[in-house]
Amino acid sequence: MLHKTLYFLAALSAIVAPTVAEVHGEGDEGTIMGPVAFLWPENRPWSAAEDNTAPCGSASGPTNRTDFPLIGGAVALSIADDAWNVEFRIAYGNDPKSQGDFQTFVSAKISEIEAGHQCYKAPTISTVASGSNATIQLEYWSNDSGRNESFFACADVTLVSATAFTESIPCFNVTASEFEAPQTTETVVSQPPEQTSTPVTAPADTGLTSGQKAGIAVGSIIGASLIIGIAAFFALRKRTQPADNEAAPYMAQTKAAHSVESVPRQ
Ligand SMILES: *[C@@H]1O[C@H](CO)[C@@H](O)[C@H](O)[C@H]1NC(C)=O
Ligand SMILES: *[C@@H]1O[C@H](CO)[C@@H](O)[C@H](O)[C@H]1NC(C)=O
Ligand SMILES: *[C@@H]1O[C@H](CO)[C@@H](O)[C@H](O)[C@H]1NC(C)=O
Ligand SMILES: *[C@@H]1O[C@H](CO)[C@@H](O)[C@H](O)[C@H]1NC(C)=O
Ligand SMILES: *[C@@H]1O[C@H](CO)[C@@H](O)[C@H](O)[C@H]1NC(C)=O
């Protein structure tokens, strides 16, 4: 819970300090991720030499597993570059080795995605018991070096019952192109002490890559929803007081805030 709170504070501070959110952006393409990566559940470590190699695009085996609910799960992506023909598959077991171990997971036809974030609901898993391990595979096409190639990434999970699942999934859609960086330089919440990176002020509308904008978008969307939450809280607590004057213009700028959706725990 504390971790989550810090995450939200860090994300909120990203409204004026994109440094935090840039970890999901284009700046990291080719350093810690390929053109597309899982935002949630956690990716296996990325490696440039392996990312076109089926089934997992990684030099590592399964090590860190994320708890994934059997009911009400979702897969969220960080997208640094345009990609096509995105597919999610799942392999049940501890260490799938070949493409044949994987079967379709999310059936949605995803023919094209652009820089930003996308989240897709996962179907209910009824074939295996709580406590089983599985690996979720992401495959997509992207243009690395002038032509389309197939890319792979994997996230290793332990499937848990919905009641045992206590995390909240960062599930929202926002594209870099629909997002306009806020012009305000006002700090809404100060940087938490755990955040060691140096805050920088977002440049106006030039000099930001689409991935950086995507990163800012994430922080801002989360920040905006937090502001809305805070505003709602105070509105409920103090009905006689007007809404937060500082929050209002900011919320108006965040066009994509309506696409924030929390995945229900069932
Ligand atoms: C596993 O998670 C720990 C803690 O988050 C991290 O330090 C470590 O690098 C991760 N290992 C791999 C292989 O991802
Ligand atoms: C799931 O994987 C972990 C290691 O990643 C292992 O310790 C555990 O025994 C596995 N669970 C099952 C049911 O095989
Ligand atoms: C593919 O990427 C290369 C650089 O990596 C770029 O020059 C080219 O314009 C891209 N092609 C398309 C169709 O996006
Ligand atoms: C990759 O494939 C998609 C879908 O077929 C196509 O729209 C795109 O232009 C291709 N990109 C390159 C660089 O060939
Ligand atoms: C995100 O967009 C995709 C494709 O339009 C859709 O299937 C999915 O439900 C959306 N996710 C959320 C959280 O709105």
Side-chain angles (χ1 to χ4, degrees):
M1 202 58 202
L2 176 66
H3 174 83
K4 208 171 89 183
T5 307
L6 289 175
Y7 172 71
F8 273 98
L9 288 175
L12 187 58
S13 68
I15 292 168
V16 290
T19 328
V20 175
E22 271 172 24
V23 294
H24 303 307
E26 200 172 63
D28 287 322
E29 184 182 358
T31 58
I32 60 164
M33 63 182 275
V36 184
F38 282 102
L39 173 63
W40 194 91
E42 188 188 333
N43 287 280
R44 267 189 211 184
W46 174 80
S47 99
E50 300 282 337
D51 69 357
N52 301 117
T53 307
C56 281
S58 171
S60 312
T63 37
N64 289 347
R65 292 186 182 275
T66 306
D67 281 355
F68 192 95
L70 288 163
I71 299 170
V75 282
L77 297 180
S78 288
I79 307 151
D81 215 339
D82 292 347
W84 297 272
N85 302 331
V86 181
E87 293 190 65
F88 295 97
R89 301 188 191 89
I90 191 166
Y92 299 105
N94 288 337
D95 189 9
K97 296 278 191 210
S98 75
Q99 188 62 18
D101 296 333
F102 289 85
Q103 60 194 72
T104 298
F105 186 40
V106 174
S107 54
K109 182 120 185 74
I110 310 162
S111 50
E112 186 167 6
I113 51 175
E114 59 178 290
H117 290 265
Q118 291 282 308
C119 175
Y120 305 92
K121 285 182 177 148
T124 295
I125 299 167
S126 52
T127 47
V128 297
S130 177
S132 312
N133 290 328
T135 297
I136 300 171
Q137 179 198 52
L138 162 69
E139 180 182 358
Y140 59 93
W141 291 6
S142 192
N143 168 25
D144 199 24
S145 64
R147 63 184 176 89
N148 274 324
E149 293 175 284
S150 257
F151 287 80
F152 298 88
C154 281
D156 300 294
V157 300
T158 298
L159 300 166
V160 299
S161 67
T163 48
F165 182 71
T166 52
E167 272 187 73
S168 88
I169 302 176
C171 188
F172 53 91
N173 285 348
V174 62
T175 59
S177 60
E178 75 188 359
F179 177 76
E180 285 159 21
Q183 303 300 303
T184 177
T185 52
E186 199 177 340
T187 303
V188 183
V189 171
S190 59
Q191 195 99 342
E194 285 76 5
Q195 205 56 52
T196 52
S197 53
T198 312
V200 297
T201 304
D205 58 352
T206 55
L208 277 185
T209 65
S210 57
Q212 285 169 330
K213 283 181 185 166
I216 297 167
V218 180
S220 302
I221 295 299
I222 294 170
S225 52
L226 181 58
I227 292 168
I228 292 164
I230 291 167
F233 176 78
F234 281 110
L236 285 170
R237 287 285 298 272
K238 301 181 179 179
R239 281 168 192 277
T240 52
Q241 287 200 349
D244 186 350
N245 287 337
E246 286 174 2
Y250 175 66
M251 283 188 285
Q253 287 172 1
T254 312
K255 290 185 281 184
H258 60 80
S259 70
V260 174
E261 183 183 338
S262 57
V263 170
R265 294 179 219 152
Q266 288 158 20

